[in-house]
Amino acid sequence: MLIFFLYQHKKPNTMFMKLIFVGYFILIIAIIANMLAAYFDVCTWYEFIQNINEKGLKKTFYSQNIVDLIWLYCIYPILLSFGYIIGDKIYNLLT
């Protein structure tokens, strides 16, 4: 699959720059999302994984409330995908 992706782009350096550019936007959105999670006192992936290490997966999963699970498995990934979309659109506008 990577070879197909490289084949589509004539300049591998351009592909690398796009990956870095879009990656920064995903990172920025992730930081903002984690700040929102802290503000609204919603469980983050860091806390969730730490609880898994302490209690185990099953106990951790069942100890979470529905808002935390919706945040972790629905809202947070959607926000990160918006980071990708925004980064990709801005990169395409600049190039």
XYZ file of all heavy atoms in Angstrom:
804
model
N 0.821 -1.179 0.000
C 0.000 0.000 0.000
C 0.874 1.256 0.000
O 0.552 2.224 -0.660
C -0.910 -0.011 1.226
C -1.899 1.096 1.187
S -3.278 0.696 2.221
C -3.499 2.224 3.032
N 1.963 1.223 0.747
C 2.866 2.366 0.776
C 3.473 2.606 -0.607
O 3.604 3.749 -1.035
C 3.965 2.152 1.811
C 5.000 3.259 1.929
C 4.327 4.556 2.370
C 6.082 2.874 2.904
N 3.799 1.528 -1.310
C 4.361 1.673 -2.659
C 3.343 2.326 -3.586
O 3.685 3.199 -4.374
C 4.809 0.301 -3.210
C 5.968 -0.218 -2.352
C 5.204 0.389 -4.676
C 6.372 -1.626 -2.657
N 2.068 1.936 -3.470
C 1.021 2.552 -4.276
C 0.909 4.036 -3.957
O 0.774 4.865 -4.850
C -0.314 1.849 -4.027
C -1.465 2.461 -4.771
C -1.572 2.303 -6.144
C -2.427 3.200 -4.115
C -2.628 2.871 -6.841
C -3.475 3.771 -4.788
C -3.573 3.611 -6.166
N 0.986 4.389 -2.667
C 0.904 5.789 -2.254
C 2.094 6.565 -2.801
O 1.940 7.681 -3.284
C 0.853 5.869 -0.724
C 0.528 7.236 -0.208
C -0.750 7.749 -0.335
C 1.499 8.005 0.397
C -1.069 9.003 0.148
C 1.193 9.263 0.883
C -0.090 9.762 0.747
N 3.280 5.993 -2.732
C 4.462 6.652 -3.276
C 4.361 6.804 -4.792
O 4.814 7.793 -5.355
C 5.721 5.864 -2.924
C 6.194 5.957 -1.490
C 7.321 4.970 -1.248
C 6.631 7.356 -1.143
N 3.782 5.810 -5.451
C 3.653 5.857 -6.897
C 2.725 6.986 -7.330
O 2.948 7.630 -8.354
C 3.126 4.510 -7.409
C 2.939 4.467 -8.901
C 4.038 4.393 -9.747
C 1.674 4.511 -9.467
C 3.869 4.365 -11.118
C 1.492 4.478 -10.828
C 2.599 4.409 -11.649
O 2.438 4.375 -13.004
N 1.682 7.255 -6.558
C 0.738 8.312 -6.908
C 1.385 9.686 -6.833
O 1.044 10.569 -7.593
C -0.464 8.281 -5.977
C -1.405 7.157 -6.260
C -2.599 7.207 -5.334
O -2.481 7.613 -4.183
N -3.743 6.795 -5.831
N 2.298 9.883 -5.896
C 2.975 11.165 -5.748
C 4.296 11.113 -6.494
O 5.097 10.231 -6.284
C 3.229 11.480 -4.286
C 1.972 11.687 -3.495
N 0.801 12.126 -4.041
C 1.708 11.522 -2.188
C -0.123 12.227 -3.116
N 0.398 11.849 -1.974
N 4.490 12.087 -7.350
C 5.695 12.097 -8.156
C 6.933 12.448 -7.335
O 8.016 12.032 -7.634
C 5.516 13.066 -9.312
C 4.428 12.624 -10.260
C 4.335 13.563 -11.425
C 3.364 13.240 -12.448
N 2.346 12.523 -12.581
N 6.746 13.233 -6.279
C 7.876 13.627 -5.447
C 7.681 13.077 -4.042
O 6.806 13.546 -3.313
C 7.988 15.150 -5.394
C 8.258 15.787 -6.725
C 8.335 17.277 -6.565
C 8.537 17.947 -7.916
N 8.537 19.397 -7.786
N 8.485 12.101 -3.622
C 8.354 11.562 -2.265
C 8.576 12.630 -1.203
O 7.997 12.571 -0.127
C 9.429 10.488 -2.192
C 9.695 10.101 -3.598
C 9.445 11.339 -4.407
N 9.411 13.635 -1.474
C 9.649 14.701 -0.523
C 8.369 15.480 -0.252
O 8.098 15.881 0.876
C 10.756 15.624 -1.043
C 11.230 16.580 0.015
O 11.088 16.321 1.204
N 11.784 17.687 -0.418
N 7.549 15.683 -1.277
C 6.276 16.380 -1.131
C 5.329 15.578 -0.247
O 4.630 16.139 0.602
C 5.628 16.611 -2.511
O 6.550 17.292 -3.339
C 4.356 17.404 -2.403
N 5.319 14.260 -0.437
C 4.475 13.403 0.379
C 4.889 13.491 1.842
O 4.040 13.590 2.733
C 4.562 11.957 -0.091
C 3.704 11.018 0.729
S 4.062 9.285 0.450
C 5.703 9.184 1.109
N 6.179 13.484 2.096
C 6.681 13.580 3.466
C 6.285 14.904 4.099
O 5.858 14.946 5.258
C 8.203 13.404 3.483
C 8.793 13.485 4.853
C 8.618 12.456 5.754
C 9.506 14.600 5.242
C 9.141 12.522 7.019
C 10.039 14.685 6.514
C 9.860 13.638 7.407
N 6.392 15.984 3.367
C 6.017 17.296 3.885
C 4.525 17.349 4.198
O 4.116 17.938 5.205
C 6.390 18.404 2.903
C 7.880 18.605 2.744
S 8.716 18.932 4.309
C 7.992 20.482 4.744
N 3.723 16.728 3.352
C 2.284 16.693 3.610
C 1.984 15.893 4.872
O 1.159 16.303 5.693
C 1.544 16.084 2.414
C 0.050 16.056 2.591
C -0.658 15.532 1.365
C -2.151 15.555 1.576
N -2.882 15.110 0.393
N 2.643 14.761 5.060
C 2.446 13.953 6.260
C 2.815 14.735 7.521
O 2.100 14.692 8.524
C 3.272 12.674 6.185
C 2.776 11.609 5.211
C 3.784 10.470 5.118
C 1.423 11.083 5.626
N 3.927 15.444 7.476
C 4.357 16.239 8.621
C 3.351 17.362 8.890
O 2.932 17.585 10.032
C 5.768 16.821 8.387
C 6.797 15.704 8.302
C 6.139 17.835 9.449
C 6.973 14.932 9.579
N 2.951 18.067 7.846
C 2.019 19.184 7.976
C 0.688 18.732 8.569
O 0.186 19.312 9.535
C 1.820 19.831 6.597
C 1.088 21.130 6.632
C 1.764 22.304 6.908
C -0.271 21.187 6.388
C 1.102 23.518 6.939
C -0.945 22.396 6.418
C -0.261 23.563 6.695
N 0.116 17.678 8.005
C -1.169 17.163 8.479
C -1.013 16.583 9.889
O -1.894 16.754 10.738
C -1.728 16.115 7.487
C -2.935 15.410 8.056
C -2.086 16.779 6.167
N 0.105 15.951 10.152
C 0.364 15.400 11.481
C 0.365 16.464 12.560
O -0.133 16.246 13.673
N 0.922 17.636 12.249
C 0.909 18.728 13.213
C -0.510 19.195 13.507
O -0.845 19.528 14.642
C 1.760 19.907 12.739
C 3.229 19.726 13.049
C 4.174 19.751 12.040
C 3.665 19.537 14.350
C 5.511 19.587 12.319
C 5.004 19.373 14.635
C 5.925 19.395 13.619
O 7.240 19.224 13.909
N -1.356 19.229 12.498
C -2.745 19.629 12.733
C -3.477 18.605 13.589
O -4.257 18.971 14.472
C -3.486 19.858 11.410
C -3.348 21.256 10.916
C -2.305 21.607 10.084
C -4.243 22.227 11.305
C -2.153 22.902 9.640
C -4.104 23.532 10.870
C -3.053 23.867 10.035
N -3.218 17.322 13.365
C -3.825 16.290 14.199
C -3.340 16.446 15.634
O -4.125 16.339 16.587
C -3.516 14.889 13.646
C -4.195 14.696 12.282
C -3.971 13.805 14.621
C -3.767 13.446 11.554
N -2.060 16.726 15.808
C -1.498 16.925 17.148
C -2.136 18.121 17.851
O -2.497 18.045 19.034
C 0.014 17.108 17.065
C 0.739 17.389 18.375
C 0.588 16.214 19.329
C 2.193 17.692 18.104
N -2.295 19.217 17.132
C -2.911 20.415 17.718
C -4.346 20.120 18.160
O -4.761 20.489 19.263
C -2.864 21.596 16.721
C -1.420 22.060 16.549
C -3.766 22.735 17.164
C -1.210 22.985 15.370
N -5.101 19.432 17.320
C -6.478 19.078 17.668
C -6.498 18.121 18.853
O -7.356 18.235 19.743
C -7.217 18.475 16.451
C -7.357 19.513 15.340
C -8.578 17.917 16.850
C -8.209 20.710 15.683
N -5.554 17.190 18.921
C -5.491 16.257 20.050
C -5.212 16.999 21.355
O -5.816 16.691 22.394
C -4.419 15.196 19.802
N -4.330 17.980 21.306
C -4.033 18.767 22.505
C -5.275 19.537 22.949
O -5.621 19.557 24.137
C -2.841 19.706 22.249
C -1.560 18.890 22.090
C -2.711 20.736 23.359
C -0.380 19.683 21.577
N -5.960 20.152 22.006
C -7.187 20.896 22.334
C -8.255 19.948 22.880
O -8.941 20.265 23.861
C -7.693 21.670 21.096
C -6.708 22.773 20.734
C -9.088 22.239 21.343
C -6.970 23.428 19.391
N -8.385 18.769 22.269
C -9.383 17.793 22.731
C -9.068 17.324 24.151
O -9.979 17.165 24.972
C -9.441 16.606 21.772
N -7.792 17.120 24.455
C -7.420 16.715 25.813
C -7.675 17.836 26.819
O -8.035 17.569 27.968
C -5.961 16.264 25.858
C -5.787 14.888 25.257
O -6.655 14.046 25.379
N -4.657 14.668 24.610
N -7.484 19.074 26.389
C -7.801 20.206 27.269
C -9.310 20.263 27.534
O -9.736 20.523 28.667
C -7.299 21.511 26.661
C -5.795 21.632 26.691
S -5.032 23.024 25.816
C -6.221 24.282 25.772
N -10.103 20.023 26.500
C -11.560 19.990 26.676
C -11.973 18.850 27.607
O -12.865 19.017 28.448
C -12.259 19.839 25.330
C -12.276 21.063 24.432
C -12.839 20.704 23.056
C -13.095 22.168 25.065
N -11.335 17.701 27.444
C -11.649 16.552 28.298
C -11.327 16.872 29.758
O -12.096 16.522 30.655
C -10.877 15.322 27.832
N -10.217 17.539 29.987
C -9.854 17.914 31.356
C -10.843 18.940 31.902
O -11.244 18.858 33.070
C -8.434 18.464 31.386
N -11.250 19.887 31.080
C -12.196 20.914 31.516
C -13.546 20.307 31.899
O -14.157 20.676 32.889
C -12.371 21.963 30.416
C -13.334 23.059 30.782
C -12.954 24.077 31.646
C -14.625 23.077 30.267
C -13.840 25.088 31.998
C -15.516 24.071 30.597
C -15.115 25.084 31.464
O -15.996 26.070 31.803
N -14.021 19.368 31.068
C -15.325 18.749 31.318
C -15.220 17.501 32.196
O -16.211 16.801 32.397
C -16.010 18.397 29.994
C -16.464 19.607 29.230
C -15.871 19.934 28.013
C -17.468 20.417 29.724
C -16.288 21.046 27.306
C -17.887 21.537 29.019
C -17.294 21.853 27.811
N -14.027 17.224 32.694
C -13.774 16.079 33.573
C -14.208 14.759 32.927
O -14.910 13.942 33.530
C -14.461 16.283 34.924
C -13.913 15.344 35.980
O -12.720 14.972 35.879
O -14.659 14.973 36.886
N -13.780 14.573 31.682
C -14.056 13.351 30.944
C -12.763 12.553 30.874
O -11.674 13.108 30.760
C -14.569 13.678 29.519
C -14.871 12.425 28.743
C -15.791 14.567 29.578
N -12.881 11.253 30.937
C -11.720 10.373 30.910
C -10.989 10.481 29.569
O -11.613 10.493 28.505
C -12.177 8.935 31.144
S -10.842 7.752 31.265
N -9.672 10.577 29.629
C -8.854 10.595 28.413
C -8.244 9.213 28.203
O -8.311 8.347 29.079
C -7.731 11.633 28.519
O -6.858 11.260 29.580
C -8.279 13.031 28.750
N -7.613 9.027 27.053
C -6.970 7.743 26.786
C -5.834 7.475 27.758
O -5.574 6.328 28.110
C -6.464 7.689 25.342
C -7.551 7.385 24.379
C -8.135 8.233 23.494
C -8.227 6.135 24.225
N -9.127 7.595 22.806
C -9.200 6.301 23.230
C -8.114 4.897 24.832
C -10.047 5.276 22.830
C -8.959 3.864 24.438
C -9.902 4.067 23.446
N -5.155 8.514 28.189
C -4.060 8.332 29.149
C -4.586 7.747 30.454
O -4.008 6.800 30.999
C -3.354 9.664 29.405
C -2.903 10.343 28.147
C -3.511 11.517 27.716
C -1.878 9.799 27.375
C -3.114 12.130 26.551
C -1.478 10.409 26.202
C -2.092 11.578 25.793
O -1.703 12.183 24.640
N -5.662 8.308 30.955
C -6.273 7.812 32.186
C -6.836 6.408 31.984
O -6.710 5.544 32.852
C -7.390 8.743 32.638
C -6.923 10.128 33.006
C -8.074 11.113 33.126
O -9.245 10.709 32.980
O -7.791 12.297 33.364
N -7.464 6.198 30.842
C -8.074 4.903 30.550
C -7.016 3.805 30.518
O -7.196 2.740 31.126
C -8.814 4.995 29.208
C -9.661 3.805 28.885
C -10.852 3.587 29.553
C -9.284 2.914 27.899
C -11.650 2.505 29.249
C -10.070 1.820 27.590
C -11.258 1.611 28.265
N -5.912 4.057 29.856
C -4.839 3.050 29.769
C -4.189 2.844 31.136
O -3.847 1.708 31.501
C -3.815 3.449 28.694
C -4.471 3.314 27.321
C -2.560 2.586 28.770
C -3.666 3.864 26.185
N -4.028 3.908 31.897
C -3.475 3.770 33.241
C -4.395 2.904 34.105
O -3.923 2.047 34.856
C -3.296 5.141 33.878
C -2.611 5.102 35.215
C -2.396 6.496 35.783
O -3.028 7.454 35.357
N -1.506 6.591 36.736
N -5.703 3.111 33.991
C -6.653 2.282 34.730
C -6.612 0.833 34.276
O -6.784 -0.078 35.090
C -8.074 2.835 34.601
C -8.270 4.110 35.373
O -7.537 4.397 36.308
N -9.260 4.889 34.974
N -6.399 0.592 32.991
C -6.274 -0.775 32.487
C -5.072 -1.457 33.129
O -5.143 -2.625 33.541
C -6.159 -0.798 30.952
C -7.489 -0.418 30.311
C -5.715 -2.178 30.456
C -7.435 -0.245 28.812
N -3.968 -0.734 33.228
C -2.768 -1.308 33.845
C -2.990 -1.624 35.321
O -2.421 -2.594 35.839
C -1.579 -0.363 33.691
C -1.082 -0.300 32.272
O -1.237 -1.234 31.503
N -0.483 0.822 31.923
N -3.797 -0.826 35.988
C -4.037 -1.028 37.419
C -5.128 -2.059 37.695
O -4.976 -2.918 38.565
C -4.416 0.296 38.076
C -3.303 1.302 38.104
C -3.757 2.673 38.566
O -4.945 2.834 38.926
O -2.917 3.586 38.562
N -6.248 -1.983 36.969
C -7.422 -2.803 37.270
C -7.666 -3.940 36.290
O -8.389 -4.867 36.603
C -8.682 -1.935 37.276
C -8.680 -0.794 38.232
C -9.970 -0.005 38.051
C -9.933 1.320 38.740
N -11.119 2.122 38.451
N -7.146 -3.794 35.081
C -7.476 -4.753 34.029
C -8.504 -4.154 33.089
O -9.230 -3.219 33.440
N -8.579 -4.711 31.891
C -9.444 -4.151 30.847
C -10.926 -4.235 31.201
O -11.661 -3.256 31.094
C -9.182 -4.850 29.514
C -10.036 -4.394 28.334
C -9.782 -2.918 28.044
C -9.764 -5.226 27.120
N -11.370 -5.398 31.626
C -12.802 -5.592 31.877
C -13.310 -4.673 32.993
O -14.331 -4.001 32.828
C -13.057 -7.056 32.216
C -14.509 -7.420 32.285
C -14.672 -8.908 32.486
C -16.136 -9.290 32.513
N -16.315 -10.724 32.679
N -12.590 -4.627 34.104
C -13.022 -3.774 35.220
C -12.968 -2.298 34.836
O -13.843 -1.517 35.222
C -12.154 -4.027 36.451
C -12.453 -5.312 37.149
C -11.620 -5.451 38.397
C -11.918 -6.776 39.075
N -11.105 -6.966 40.288
N -11.953 -1.916 34.088
C -11.840 -0.518 33.664
C -12.989 -0.142 32.748
O -13.603 0.908 32.906
C -10.497 -0.273 32.946
O -9.445 -0.563 33.855
C -10.379 1.154 32.469
N -13.271 -1.010 31.775
C -14.335 -0.720 30.820
C -15.680 -0.573 31.523
O -16.434 0.358 31.262
C -14.401 -1.817 29.754
C -15.318 -1.492 28.618
C -14.912 -0.637 27.612
C -16.596 -2.018 28.565
C -15.756 -0.320 26.558
C -17.445 -1.715 27.514
C -17.020 -0.866 26.521
N -15.985 -1.476 32.442
C -17.275 -1.430 33.126
C -17.346 -0.340 34.189
O -18.431 0.028 34.624
C -17.615 -2.791 33.727
C -18.010 -3.792 32.672
C -17.267 -4.947 32.471
C -19.111 -3.566 31.852
C -17.614 -5.865 31.501
C -19.468 -4.476 30.874
C -18.712 -5.623 30.700
O -19.068 -6.512 29.724
N -16.196 0.184 34.612
C -16.227 1.254 35.618
C -16.404 2.640 34.990
O -16.663 3.606 35.707
C -14.941 1.232 36.456
O -13.832 1.620 35.675
N -16.286 2.738 33.671
C -16.452 4.021 32.995
C -17.937 4.337 32.831
O -18.744 3.444 32.604
C -15.795 3.999 31.601
C -14.322 3.714 31.614
C -13.540 4.772 32.334
O -13.774 5.957 32.173
N -12.596 4.342 33.160
N -18.262 5.628 32.906
C -19.655 5.998 32.632
C -19.839 6.149 31.122
O -18.883 6.159 30.357
C -20.074 7.257 33.400
C -19.268 8.475 33.013
O -18.854 8.627 31.874
N -19.049 9.361 33.963
N -21.065 6.271 30.704
C -21.386 6.288 29.274
C -20.792 7.502 28.566
O -20.365 7.414 27.410
C -22.917 6.179 29.043
C -23.241 5.912 27.573
C -23.632 7.419 29.535
C -22.864 4.554 27.113
N -20.711 8.628 29.255
C -20.143 9.839 28.648
C -18.663 9.625 28.323
O -18.191 10.002 27.249
C -20.339 11.058 29.577
C -19.628 12.279 29.033
C -21.814 11.340 29.779
N -17.932 8.996 29.260
C -16.514 8.715 29.019
C -16.331 7.797 27.818
O -15.450 8.014 26.980
C -15.867 8.073 30.248
C -15.716 9.031 31.404
O -15.747 10.263 31.171
O -15.558 8.556 32.543
N -17.142 6.765 27.723
C -17.016 5.815 26.611
C -17.378 6.460 25.276
O -16.713 6.217 24.265
C -17.872 4.581 26.876
C -17.433 3.733 28.073
C -18.431 2.615 28.330
C -16.041 3.167 27.840
N -18.420 7.281 25.273
C -18.785 7.985 24.030
C -17.666 8.939 23.631
O -17.313 9.047 22.454
C -20.130 8.723 24.188
C -21.263 7.702 24.290
C -20.368 9.690 23.038
C -22.609 8.302 24.648
N -17.087 9.627 24.608
C -15.970 10.528 24.327
C -14.789 9.759 23.726
O -14.240 10.152 22.703
C -15.543 11.259 25.598
C -14.261 12.003 25.443
C -13.031 11.592 25.851
C -14.055 13.255 24.786
N -12.078 12.508 25.505
C -12.683 13.546 24.855
C -14.902 14.156 24.162
C -12.143 14.712 24.322
C -14.358 15.313 23.630
C -13.006 15.581 23.708
N -14.403 8.655 24.388
C -13.213 7.916 23.962
C -13.385 7.232 22.608
O -12.458 7.220 21.804
C -12.843 6.863 25.017
C -12.278 7.384 26.324
C -12.130 6.247 27.322
C -10.940 8.059 26.093
N -14.551 6.665 22.367
C -14.714 5.833 21.179
C -15.453 6.512 20.028
O -15.447 5.982 18.912
C -15.420 4.526 21.550
C -14.525 3.619 22.344
C -14.617 3.565 23.726
C -13.560 2.853 21.724
C -13.778 2.748 24.465
C -12.719 2.038 22.447
C -12.831 1.986 23.818
O -11.995 1.180 24.534
N -16.061 7.665 20.260
C -16.779 8.350 19.177
C -16.275 9.773 18.956
O -15.793 10.099 17.868
C -18.277 8.381 19.458
S -19.034 6.768 19.483
N -16.396 10.596 19.968
C -16.119 12.025 19.792
C -14.639 12.295 19.552
O -14.275 13.033 18.633
C -16.656 12.826 20.995
C -18.166 12.654 21.090
C -16.282 14.297 20.876
C -18.787 13.215 22.356
N -13.770 11.702 20.366
C -12.330 11.947 20.236
C -11.803 11.539 18.846
O -11.112 12.330 18.199
C -11.580 11.227 21.356
C -10.134 11.601 21.473
C -9.749 12.813 22.028
C -9.129 10.734 21.045
C -8.419 13.159 22.148
C -7.800 11.070 21.169
C -7.450 12.285 21.720
O -6.134 12.626 21.830
N -12.150 10.344 18.336
C -11.681 10.007 16.977
C -12.247 10.931 15.899
O -11.549 11.245 14.926
C -12.170 8.571 16.764
C -12.355 8.025 18.128
C -12.766 9.186 18.992
N -13.473 11.386 16.076
C -14.059 12.312 15.107
C -13.296 13.637 15.120
O -12.994 14.208 14.064
C -15.562 12.516 15.379
C -16.332 11.254 15.020
C -16.104 13.714 14.601
C -17.777 11.248 15.470
N -12.959 14.122 16.308
C -12.185 15.368 16.403
C -10.815 15.214 15.744
O -10.351 16.118 15.046
C -12.022 15.781 17.864
C -13.275 16.274 18.566
C -12.984 16.559 20.034
C -13.837 17.502 17.880
N -10.168 14.073 15.953
C -8.868 13.854 15.313
C -8.998 13.792 13.794
O -8.130 14.281 13.071
C -8.223 12.571 15.842
C -7.812 12.578 17.303
C -7.129 11.263 17.662
C -6.938 13.753 17.647
N -10.085 13.229 13.311
C -10.280 13.197 11.856
C -10.515 14.600 11.303
O -10.095 14.902 10.180
C -11.430 12.267 11.474
O -12.657 12.770 11.936
N -11.151 15.476 12.096
C -11.275 16.871 11.682
C -9.894 17.519 11.580
O -9.656 18.346 10.707
C -12.147 17.672 12.641
C -13.618 17.430 12.484
C -14.437 17.390 13.593
C -14.189 17.251 11.240
C -15.794 17.164 13.471
C -15.542 17.027 11.097
C -16.348 16.989 12.215
N -8.992 17.146 12.481
C -7.615 17.640 12.399
C -6.962 17.243 11.095
O -6.265 18.042 10.468
N -7.196 15.999 10.667
C -6.657 15.555 9.384
C -7.272 16.344 8.233
O -6.562 16.820 7.344
C -6.916 14.060 9.172
C -6.605 13.645 7.757
C -5.302 13.431 7.359
C -7.611 13.528 6.811
C -5.001 13.086 6.056
C -7.326 13.187 5.503
C -6.021 12.963 5.136
O -5.729 12.647 3.847
N -8.586 16.496 8.253
C -9.276 17.184 7.160
C -8.818 18.639 7.065
O -8.529 19.132 5.973
C -10.810 17.087 7.345
C -11.263 15.641 7.159
C -11.536 18.012 6.389
C -12.694 15.378 7.599
N -8.736 19.311 8.208
C -8.295 20.716 8.213
C -6.863 20.827 7.706
O -6.560 21.673 6.852
C -8.427 21.316 9.623
C -9.893 21.428 10.014
C -7.742 22.676 9.701
C -10.109 21.716 11.490
N -5.978 19.982 8.205
C -4.589 20.008 7.767
C -4.439 19.728 6.287
O -3.661 20.376 5.590
N -5.187 18.757 5.790
C -5.126 18.410 4.365
C -5.638 19.546 3.500
O -5.021 19.897 2.483
C -5.963 17.145 4.130
C -5.841 16.632 2.714
O -4.691 16.448 2.241
O -6.890 16.398 2.063
N -6.734 20.175 3.888
C -7.293 21.291 3.113
C -6.322 22.478 3.092
O -6.097 23.078 2.040
C -8.632 21.738 3.701
C -9.693 20.708 3.666
C -10.623 20.941 2.534
C -11.748 19.920 2.622
N -12.174 19.486 1.350
N -5.748 22.803 4.253
C -4.814 23.926 4.290
C -3.558 23.613 3.494
O -3.046 24.476 2.772
C -4.481 24.301 5.758
C -5.723 24.890 6.420
C -3.323 25.285 5.820
C -5.574 25.165 7.888
N -3.066 22.375 3.578
C -1.885 22.000 2.800
C -2.173 22.136 1.299
O -1.356 22.659 0.544
C -1.452 20.568 3.111
C -0.252 20.136 2.328
C 1.025 20.480 2.750
C -0.381 19.418 1.139
C 2.140 20.109 2.024
C 0.720 19.051 0.406
C 1.978 19.391 0.854
O 3.076 19.032 0.113
N -3.334 21.670 0.882
C -3.685 21.769 -0.537
C -3.863 23.213 -0.980
O -3.576 23.541 -2.151
C -4.961 20.965 -0.834
C -4.706 19.472 -0.758
O -3.594 18.992 -0.998
N -5.726 18.720 -0.409
N -4.330 24.077 -0.100
C -4.446 25.491 -0.445
C -3.059 26.141 -0.596
O -2.873 27.019 -1.426
C -5.234 26.248 0.611
C -6.749 26.036 0.616
C -7.373 26.733 1.828
C -7.368 26.579 -0.663
N -2.118 25.709 0.237
C -0.777 26.303 0.203
C 0.080 25.778 -0.941
O 1.033 26.449 -1.342
C -0.068 26.058 1.545
C -0.695 26.740 2.750
C 0.037 26.318 4.021
C -0.677 28.251 2.593
N -0.223 24.617 -1.450
C 0.612 24.048 -2.521
C -0.068 24.104 -3.857
O -1.183 24.367 -4.028
C 1.002 22.586 -2.226
O -0.184 21.813 -2.053
C 1.864 22.514 -0.999
